[in-house]
Amino acid sequence: MFSFNDKISLRQFQMLLMLYIFGTGVIILPRKAAAFAGRDGWIAFILTIALAVFAVFIITSLVRRFPEKSFYEYAGDIITKPIAFVLTGGLIVKTIVGLACELRLFTEIVKHILLQNTPYTVVALSLLLVSAYAAAKGIETKARTAQIIVWIIFIPLTFVFIVVGTDVDFTELLPVLQIEAAQIATGAYHMLFAFSGIEFILLMSPYLNKHKHISKRAVTAILAIGIFMCIGIIIATARFGAVNLTNQNWPILEMMDATPMPGSFIERQEAVMMSFWILSVFAMISAGLFFSTVAAKSVLKVGKHKYYLIVVGIMAFALSLFLNDMDLVYEIMDMNFLYLGTAYMLVLPAILLILAKIRRLSNEKTY
């Protein structure tokens, strides 16, 4: 059963947004950057950050106009209930597919590094059940937890990045701008997948106790995470070289394993990175369960939340069982982003915002 003391501050919103974004991106993003733009991958990713900031500004400008309404409700006001029903259904499908891919990717990495002999179902169900329990506690509990977890993740990782950065060859980044501008732009667009999670803002408006500075808070979160991931791309490229980087499955983890810490007080750095990453994946999967459940309940308006949560969890787990090949996982992730992710991150929010302005629809508050 959900806990319904569900109002969070803008600072808590900011922390949650950072956790939702930081996850799969930091693990596989350097390989994607090298594949799309070679040694200029970090330059392409700077354009990705700018694109993500633009997307967040559009989304927050939209939700700020309807502070107490769900996505289904304000979309229905703008473009009729039947179309809103379809759009909400698409967002639920996008989220469930993303959950399945995250679950499979997370479990495969954990099995490869930490639990080689543990069956997939044991690892996947463990994460899913814990995440479902957190989702059932409501967004306020998640927000309070995020205020603690975000520091546990980023302070140690910043230290690790500094140490690893002292043992790389930054000449691997030279010469710069050897890739055609069109290829860099294409890479920037495709790397926007690293910011999957910002579409959850579409569903968060009713849970915020203030809306006035939501755009500023969201943009700051995007910039902080974007800079952190860009540094990861730079260090990974300098460590492996652009050509070799494309052959690394999880370059950040492999980089941690290959670089000794001073004094050797940490024997397995990749396991340390994994432990921090697990917290972020837990937050993201819990968010996917929570928001897909909230979206479904807002449309159907019948039954208890816990039943929706069970159904969504079963669907995500069942789909993950069919994704038994990592190439297939990456292919589904790319398709999910290209066909649904960009729609809910950029296209639909922009259309809804324009139509809302034209029709002068707004219940915006001044606080």
Side-chain angles (χ1 to χ4, degrees), residues 50-291:
L51 191 59
V53 167
F54 174 74
V56 164
F57 181 78
I58 294 297
I59 294 173
T60 53
S61 297
L62 173 64
V63 301
R64 194 172 61 237
R65 300 177 72 90
F66 307 95
E68 302 298 335
K69 293 187 176 183
S70 68
F71 174 72
Y72 173 68
E73 290 171 337
Y74 66 73
D77 292 342
I78 298 172
I79 52 174
T80 74
K81 293 295 184 183
I83 299 179
F85 179 88
V86 174
L87 295 182
T88 306
L91 183 55
I92 294 171
V93 170
K94 187 266 177 192
T95 303
I96 292 175
V97 172
L99 280 173
C101 292
E102 290 283 345
L103 195 60
R104 172 58 74 169
L105 181 59
F106 165 84
T107 304
E108 291 299 330
I109 294 177
V110 169
K111 282 173 57 61
H112 177 77
I113 295 177
L114 299 176
L115 304 171
Q116 291 89 347
N117 298 319
T118 305
Y120 170 82
T121 54
V122 174
V123 180
L125 283 176
S126 298
L127 175 64
L128 198 59
L129 290 174
V130 174
S131 299
Y133 177 78
K137 290 298 180 180
I139 196 169
E140 185 187 22
T141 300
K142 288 157 51 61
R144 292 182 183 275
T145 305
Q147 288 182 291
I148 301 173
I149 291 179
V150 73
W151 301 111
I152 295 176
I153 293 175
F154 289 106
I155 291 178
L157 287 186
T158 299
F159 170 74
V160 171
F161 271 20
I162 291 173
V163 173
V164 174
T166 62
D167 189 35
V168 298
D169 182 9
F170 287 102
T171 61
E172 290 287 350
L173 300 170
L174 301 175
V176 298
L177 297 177
Q178 298 299 299
I179 304 295
E180 293 183 0
Q183 186 174 343
I184 290 178
T186 300
Y189 169 72
H190 281 273
M191 284 189 286
L192 191 61
F193 84 93
F195 292 95
S196 292
I198 65 176
E199 67 273 12
F200 290 149
I201 302 175
L202 292 168
L203 303 165
M204 294 181 72
S205 182
Y207 301 102
L208 300 176
N209 61 8
K210 294 182 180 180
H211 292 77
K212 184 177 180 180
H213 299 294
I214 181 176
S215 296
K216 178 180 178 181
R217 290 285 189 171
V219 167
T220 302
I222 293 299
L223 288 175
I225 292 296
I227 291 172
F228 192 90
M229 289 194 289
C230 189
I231 292 172
I233 293 173
I234 291 172
I235 294 176
T237 305
R239 174 66 180 83
F240 296 111
V243 175
N244 292 330
L245 187 55
T246 59
N247 299 320
Q248 305 291 330
N249 288 325
W250 309 304
I252 294 295
L253 295 179
E254 293 169 16
M255 180 176 63
M256 298 296 173
D257 187 37
T259 305
M261 288 291 181
S264 297
F265 67 91
I266 297 179
E267 184 175 351
R268 295 190 63 194
Q269 294 87 237
E270 89 285 6
V272 175
M273 180 69 179
M274 169 67 69
S275 64
F276 300 138
W277 178 64
I278 287 173
L279 294 174
S280 179
V281 173
F282 156 74
M284 187 171 186
I285 291 180
S286 177
L289 291 170
F290 176 80
F291 287 116

Side-chain angles (χ1 to χ4, degrees), residues 70 72-73 296-303 308:
S70 68
Y72 173 68
E73 290 171 337
K297 181 66 186 306
S298 71
V299 173
L300 300 178
K301 300 185 184 301
V302 294
Y308 290 91

Side-chain angles (χ1 to χ4, degrees), residues 303-318:
K304 296 182 179 180
H305 287 81
K306 64 180 180 180
Y307 299 136
Y308 290 91
L309 189 59
I310 292 171
V311 171
V312 169
I314 291 174
M315 291 175 66
F317 177 71

